[in-house]
Amino acid sequence: MEQQELVREILRLKEERRAVILAHSYQRPEVQDIADFVGDSLGLSREATRTDADVIVFCGVHFMAETAAILNPEKTVLLPDLEAGCSLAETINPEDVRAWREQHPDGIVVAYVNTSAAVKAMADICCTSANAVEVVASLPEDRPIFFVPDMFLGAHVERVTGRKLDIWLGECHVHAGIRSEDLAAQLAAHPDAEFLIHPECGCSSTCIFLRPDAKLLSTEGMVRYAAQSAAREFVVATEVGILHRLHQKAPGKRFIPVREDAICHYMKRVTLEKVYESLRDLKYVITVPEEIAVPARRALEAMLALG
Ligand code: 13P
Ligand code: SF4
């Protein structure tokens, strides 16, 4: 099928199935364009709680679809490609969290949403890159905190809140691959550009020495910032799927990726063809067993309750 016909069929099936399509900002441009809602992990979690559709087609990666399924046990949640995983979520399993808990019976576990449902079930509260600082700042000061699994986001939260955290040494291969040398070269080439960087980046700890005015933001935070800023040019350190959304929401401005090859192949597994097949055949249904979903929902709702 040609692209136009695929889009027509997706829209027709969407009506027929009473479905909503949610897409992360790292998705392919043509997938973002057919979505009802495009956003960051926090926006997508919120949107998943608001929809009255019967079916949610999640154009993103597995942990995001699991989050939608946990928050909507009565809805059908579909992930168009089961291989859409996440290298960061893979770095930790529930046993790792259990081992820390055994050593710290009064400890609090904060799980970044880039984790499996089973890890979320072991956590007290979840966070995303948009609210990690706020989540940690809301916790009691006299108890140990385990922040999992992203070490660079954890270090950013420590710097901003001044809190001491136990941090799991996990990283996302895409963001860890954006190195200080790449950053220094792009910033030198574009001295007047504003600088937007995702806190998952390996160089997010050193970037403040290169550019003290760096804006460490979630993907949606970048879109919002670029749309309202008076600047015309931005150096952007994150997965390059965000550029499509930046161009849409801040038209006429120039966005320079720190690395053009910062591509998450998991995110790109979802194609229009697979979205069509997903709606046609109602596949692949993502479910989370009750014994995991109940405690994981508690941790997600604790985060969402912070507003
Ligand atoms: P946000 O969309 O929450 O900024 O997260 C980025 C990410 O890596 C999602 O996989
Ligand atoms: Fe996971 Fe990194 Fe891909 Fe985000 S960009 S889904 S953290 S592998």
Side-chain angles (χ1 to χ4, degrees):
M1 244 189 273
E2 263 181 41
Q3 181 152 326
Q4 264 187 345
E5 199 184 341
L6 264 179
V7 171
R8 255 198 317 274
E9 279 302 293
I10 289 170
L11 299 179
R12 184 184 66 74
L13 283 168
K14 197 177 74 156
E15 291 293 305
E16 203 174 295
R17 302 285 195 200
R18 283 190 33 82
V20 67
I21 301 178
L22 307 184
H24 189 268
S25 319
Y26 296 160
Q27 289 287 292
R28 294 168 186 271
E30 64 276 18
V31 172
Q32 294 189 32
D33 291 345
I34 47 112
D36 297 289
F37 180 88
V38 183
D40 63 0
S41 309
L42 182 60
L44 291 166
S45 302
R46 289 231 168 89
E47 205 53 33
T49 62
R50 289 186 188 137
T51 179
D52 58 1
D54 296 335
V55 174
I56 299 176
V57 183
F58 214 111
C59 300
V61 293
H62 193 269
F63 75 80
M64 296 180 173
E66 268 191 339
T67 300
I70 293 164
L71 295 172
N72 292 281
E74 74 298 344
K75 295 193 199 305
T76 302
V77 176
L78 304 176
L79 180 65
D81 187 317
L82 278 182
E83 301 290 310
C86 169
S87 60
L88 174 58
E90 285 295 312
T91 65
I92 189 160
N93 60 48
E95 285 63 48
D96 301 317
V97 181
R98 191 169 293 119
W100 186 86
R101 280 207 181 278
E102 274 163 19
Q103 301 291 315
H104 305 85
D106 61 337
I108 299 175
V109 177
V110 180
Y112 189 31
V113 285
N114 298 41
T115 44
S116 65
V119 167
K120 289 185 179 76
M122 297 288 299
D124 296 282
I125 187 164
C126 290
C127 73
T128 74
S129 58
N131 63 14
V133 166
E134 191 190 346
V135 165
V136 169
S138 76
L139 301 175
E141 299 209 7
D142 55 348
R143 292 170 58 187
I145 298 173
F146 191 28
F147 187 94
V148 305
D150 191 88
M151 62 173 148
F152 301 116
L153 178 63
H156 166 64
V157 171
E158 270 194 325
R159 272 195 310 277
V160 178
T161 61
R163 305 283 292 266
K164 179 80 197 79
L165 307 174
D166 278 355
I167 300 173
W168 182 254
L169 297 181
E171 62 178 28
C172 149
H173 71 291
V174 180
H175 287 90
I178 301 176
R179 300 157 314 161
S180 298
E181 307 86 277
D182 307 322
L183 203 58
Q186 290 292 9
L187 291 175
H190 305 279
D192 299 326
E194 284 216 60
F195 175 42
L196 312 177
I197 177 166
H198 196 281
E200 275 181 30
C201 286
C203 52
S204 60
S205 338
T206 48
C207 75
I208 37 175
F209 300 111
L210 288 167
R211 280 290 292 268
D213 61 340
K215 306 285 180 295
L216 279 99
L217 296 166
S218 75
T219 51
E220 197 56 23
M222 289 183 183
V223 173
R224 243 177 270 134
Y225 184 85
Q228 59 75 45
S229 165
R232 307 302 302 163
E233 215 179 47
F234 301 82
V235 168
V236 181
T238 192
E239 207 271 357
V240 292
I242 192 67
L243 299 174
H244 178 64
R245 197 155 156 73
L246 284 167
H247 286 300
Q248 275 186 334
K249 296 291 174 188
K253 297 187 179 178
R254 182 165 180 227
F255 298 98
I256 303 123
V258 170
R259 284 188 72 119
E260 297 208 10
D261 63 351
I263 296 171
C264 175
H265 61 273
Y266 296 113
M267 284 279 179
K268 306 310 188 229
R269 290 198 67 90
V270 178
T271 59
L272 278 185
E273 190 91 43
K274 288 181 193 165
V275 175
Y276 162 70
E277 289 169 2
S278 171
L279 273 163
R280 185 192 63 193
D281 306 338
L282 287 181
K283 66 180 187 188
Y284 297 92
V285 179
I286 302 299
T287 53
V288 179
E290 239 348 63
E291 64 277 16
I292 290 177
V294 170
R297 191 176 306 127
R298 211 175 294 131
L300 282 162
E301 284 173 349
M303 166 185 86
L304 293 170
L306 280 184

